[in-house]
Amino acid sequence: MRKKFIAGNWKMYTTASTAKSLAEGVAKGITDNAVTVAVCPPFPWLSIVADALQGSPVAVGGQNCHYAAEGAYTGDVSPQMLLDAGCKYVIVGHSERRHGLNESDLFLNRKVKAATSAGLSVIFCVGELLAEREGKQTEDVLDYQLASGLTGLSKEAVSKLVIAYEPVWAIGTGKVATPDQAQEAHAFIRKRFAAQFGDAAAHTLVIQYGGSVKPDNARELLKLPDVDGALVGGASLKPDSFLAIVRAAV
Ligand code: PGA
């Protein structure tokens, strides 16, 4: 049995004080390890949130990182910096960076390698655009994103991966994938992962669904055989809605 993993992606929302109270609100509602839970705040609040979560099972993640260990990269953050700030996870390849900021597959692959070798677990996002789904290219897109983004990873790196299937048309739109669409894509990702890294790695791989996950649709998605959790954007910004999604995973 794979343990369910619910992560909140706060994107570029919250202030220092709302981030702290949101973290405290989440921590108050999570008292056991039945579900793996993490929150990914904006960079400036990482230490504030990590402090607020001291002693709680809720982990912290960064929303992005650079592949270099250090250097002249204005505005960027290294994997080690995230670890120092208290992070266990980092999101790599979110569509808002792939499509919004033109991050290439090669660039994402370097980040995955650097982050996993530094000791972070990577939530690697994949997903098709609406036009790609309508053009029946979903599997080709997933296949390419997995092949290129995850090429050349060590066994150790593979064990630190979580995949988030996030159809781009479902992110922030209120249009959630149907259970059939989600299950089909997740099963394909697991099969593809098995071909790339072996059956055992695919069997233990946690695959989150992301894109308009809310308290009222979470249960239906989280009970699907290949849906092992959720990457939650909008609904992670309030303790009540985020905690309701965590409860739906139990
Ligand atoms: P959403 O975002 O839940 O607001 O659709 C999900 C994500 O972008 O990770």
Side-chain angles (χ1 to χ4, degrees), residues 182-197:
Q183 173 54 30
E184 201 179 9
H186 282 234
F188 176 79
I189 290 168
R190 200 176 304 284
K191 193 176 82 184
R192 181 69 189 69
F193 202 85
Q196 204 169 355
F197 300 114

Side-chain angles (χ1 to χ4, degrees), residues 91-110:
I91 299 170
V92 173
H94 192 280
S95 79
E96 285 148 19
R97 302 199 66 92
R98 280 180 189 273
H99 300 293
L101 297 169
N102 284 324
E103 291 195 356
S104 71
D105 295 280
L106 171 66
F107 189 51
L108 298 177
N109 179 245
R110 289 170 131 182

